[in-house]
Each structure stands twice: as structure tokens, then as C-alpha cells.
Amino acid sequence: MFVLRPYQRQAVANCRDLLRAPDARVCLVSPVGSGKTVMLDAISAGEDALWLVPSTSILEQTPGRVMTLQSLLGGARPPCSLLIVDECHRTAGSAEQWAAVVHDYPRVIGATATPIRHDGAPLGDQYNDMVVAANYSELIRDKFLVPCRVVRPVNAPEQESGLARHPVEAWHKFAEGRQTFAFFGRVEIAQKFASEMPSCAVVYGEQDSGERQAAMDGFRAGMINILASVGALTEGTNVPEASCILLCVQ
């Protein structure tokens, strides 16, 4: 049983008030690491809730009855008293399809850290109200999140790899042996990086779930120092052991 933090209690109360209205559509906005799943669980207490998640990799981390967004768009319509849409910014790209689905349900709450997609697609046509639980500066001030030290290339000459600094070199120079999530765009590049690094495993979206879980368990136990990720660990991930993020974008 989680004890809600003050901002979580207030957000839960605000969302519950709004969800009393018929045909309620509420968007809960809160930063990464602020405990959106905990808040949604508290909001849905006593409800016959159905959780929607954007991918199968988040299924095992979600409480209650759960299915993927793709399954719902594919035609399944399980009944519920409250539809919960995790990472609800994902529905903006399927707005027309989603509009046909969402009105099949009496009440809906979505949660996201980014209530607009990178391509500018809005969420306003799907939700009537928005509740902002907290912002990053408040959570850092109250010591619920830690401040980040960011190292980035500034006017650095590009190297042959197309990167401002090769990721192997960057990790050895800046990461100081920290347990690290390293994000890549392609599996073969992540595998090459892993072959050059000590104690590194590759995880990716289409990977066998048992293999991915073994890598995660090894990382949490400190037996694996780096997880090279492609299409994984980007949403719904809570791994306090990680203290460094390496963005390897080509």
C-alpha cells in the first residue's frame, strides 16, 4: 500500500471530483517519475476499471485489468466503469480511430507527462479537463526527484560515426562507472556498442520477454552495468538503480 505524497493526494482528489460528471474525460499530467500509475490506481479504487497501455512491455507493470491500445482499436470492447489510458499522448496519432472508441465508455482518464505529441497533434479533442499534478521544479525542490547534470555537445566537430562524441568514449569519460541506460535507434548499433562495453546487455521492443526480463533482473542486481535499449525502457520504467542516461542518436 503506497502512502500518497501531498501533490498526489491533491491530484487524486481533483480527478475524482471531475470524474463525477457524466461523460467525464480527464487528462492527468505529471512528470516522469512522479508516480502517475500510483495516482491512477488511487483514482480508480472501487471502480470496475480497464487499463489501456501503449505496448506489451508495460503490461506486467500495470495493476488491475489491462489490455493494449492496439487491441482496443482492433475491435475489442470490454465493458468497464472507468477507462484508464496510460501514456495517453500515444492516442493523438490515432485521433480519428480513438474518437470512435472513447465514446463507447462512460468515463475516461488519461495520464501523460507530455500532453502534446512531438508532431504537434493535440489531445484537446479527446479530453474535457486537465489536472496538472506537479512540475519538475516543484518535485526537485521537495526532493521527490533529483536534479540532473547534463553533458551535451556544443559546437563539437562530428566524428566518423556521425555522433558528436562516440558513445563508448562518452561513457568512459563522463559516466564514472554508473549503471546506465543507453538509448539507440537500431538494434545492430546497440549490439555493436554492447560488444565494446563491459557488462552490457541489449534490450529491445521485439525481444523475447523472458530474455528482456533476465537483463533487467541482472541490471537491478548489479551484475549488468549497462542496458543498451532500442524501443524499450522509454515508458513505464521504474529502475532506481539507473543513475545515468546515454542518448546515442544518429
Side-chain angles (χ1 to χ4, degrees), residues 78-223:
C80 66
S81 65
L82 178 65
L83 186 67
I84 299 173
V85 188
D86 198 7
E87 307 293 351
C88 67
H89 58 277
R90 291 288 201 95
T91 64
S94 306
E96 194 170 315
Q97 279 183 288
W98 178 246
V101 170
V102 73
H103 293 294
D104 289 344
Y105 289 91
R107 292 146 70 240
V108 178
I109 183 164
T112 180
T114 52
I116 188 169
R117 284 169 38 115
H118 68 278
D119 61 4
L123 292 172
D125 57 348
Q126 300 176 31
Y127 296 94
N128 303 327
D129 295 283
M130 184 170 74
V131 172
V132 178
N135 59 50
Y136 281 106
S137 60
E138 293 169 338
L139 297 182
I140 291 171
R141 179 198 66 201
D142 296 335
K143 301 188 185 306
F144 293 120
L145 293 179
V146 298
C148 294
R149 179 168 60 92
V150 179
V151 178
R152 64 186 180 91
V154 179
N155 298 325
E158 292 190 350
Q159 299 180 5
E160 290 182 3
S161 64
L163 302 172
R165 186 184 294 272
H166 194 280
V168 173
E169 177 193 347
W171 188 86
H172 283 295
K173 182 174 177 61
F174 298 112
E176 302 168 354
R178 293 173 180 268
Q179 285 191 264
T180 299
F181 287 170
F183 291 98
F184 292 86
R186 298 199 312 233
V187 173
E188 59 270 26
I189 297 176
Q191 290 171 334
K192 184 177 186 303
F193 170 81
S195 70
E196 300 175 24
M197 299 298 292
S199 185
C200 180
V202 177
V203 292
Y204 53 94
E206 296 76 26
Q207 187 177 27
D208 174 78
S209 59
E211 185 179 344
R212 186 170 59 242
Q213 188 59 52
M216 293 295 297
D217 291 344
F219 186 85
R220 286 190 170 98
M223 296 162 44

Side-chain angles (χ1 to χ4, degrees), residues 217-248:
D217 291 344
F219 186 85
R220 286 190 170 98
M223 296 162 44
I224 294 173
N225 203 36
I226 305 169
L227 289 177
S229 168
V230 182
L233 310 179
T234 58
E235 294 171 327
T237 302
N238 181 17
V239 184
E241 292 81 5
S243 64
C244 177
I245 302 295
L246 186 61
L247 299 179
C248 310

